[in-house]
Amino acid sequence: SALSIMGRVDWINRKKLGQFILNCQDDDDGGIADRPGDMPDVYHTFFGLAGLSLIGFLGDVGEKEGRVYREVDPVFALPVDVVRGMGLKAQV
């Protein structure tokens, strides 16, 4: 999220990071683990999805699945529409 806040997401290899996160997904039970083959948990699932959103990868996944995923705000780690609706302003 720090690189997103600084406007430097281009410093990240979007394809490799996105694929790594997807490889950490448990295809049978759902969820995302800290590395491929490990047990998924809520913490890594939340931040894995947030990471996919911040690098613009979640939209690509959604298009393939026929779903729309909401963009995550890098400061508040909430959906952008929720942040806007609540009138939250980041102090960066």
Side-chain angles (χ1 to χ4, degrees), residues 6-84:
M6 295 177 358
R8 299 292 183 192
V9 174
D10 58 316
W11 289 0
I12 300 168
N13 185 323
R14 182 179 171 273
K15 185 176 179 179
K16 284 187 179 183
L17 178 58
Q19 192 57 55
F20 175 79
I21 294 170
L22 293 177
N23 288 341
C24 293
Q25 182 178 7
D26 186 321
D27 292 331
D28 296 326
D29 297 323
I32 298 173
D34 61 339
R35 52 187 153 265
D38 282 2
M39 291 291 296
D41 56 66
V42 174
Y43 177 86
H44 289 97
T45 299
F46 175 79
F47 285 106
L49 291 172
L52 290 172
S53 172
L54 293 174
I55 63 172
F57 210 82
L58 198 54
D60 297 346
V61 171
E63 285 178 24
K64 290 178 186 174
E65 296 176 349
R67 298 179 184 201
V68 176
Y69 293 104
R70 294 155 65 188
E71 183 182 347
V72 174
D73 182 272
V75 174
F76 296 104
L78 294 169
V80 170
D81 60 302
V82 171
V83 171
R84 287 186 189 135

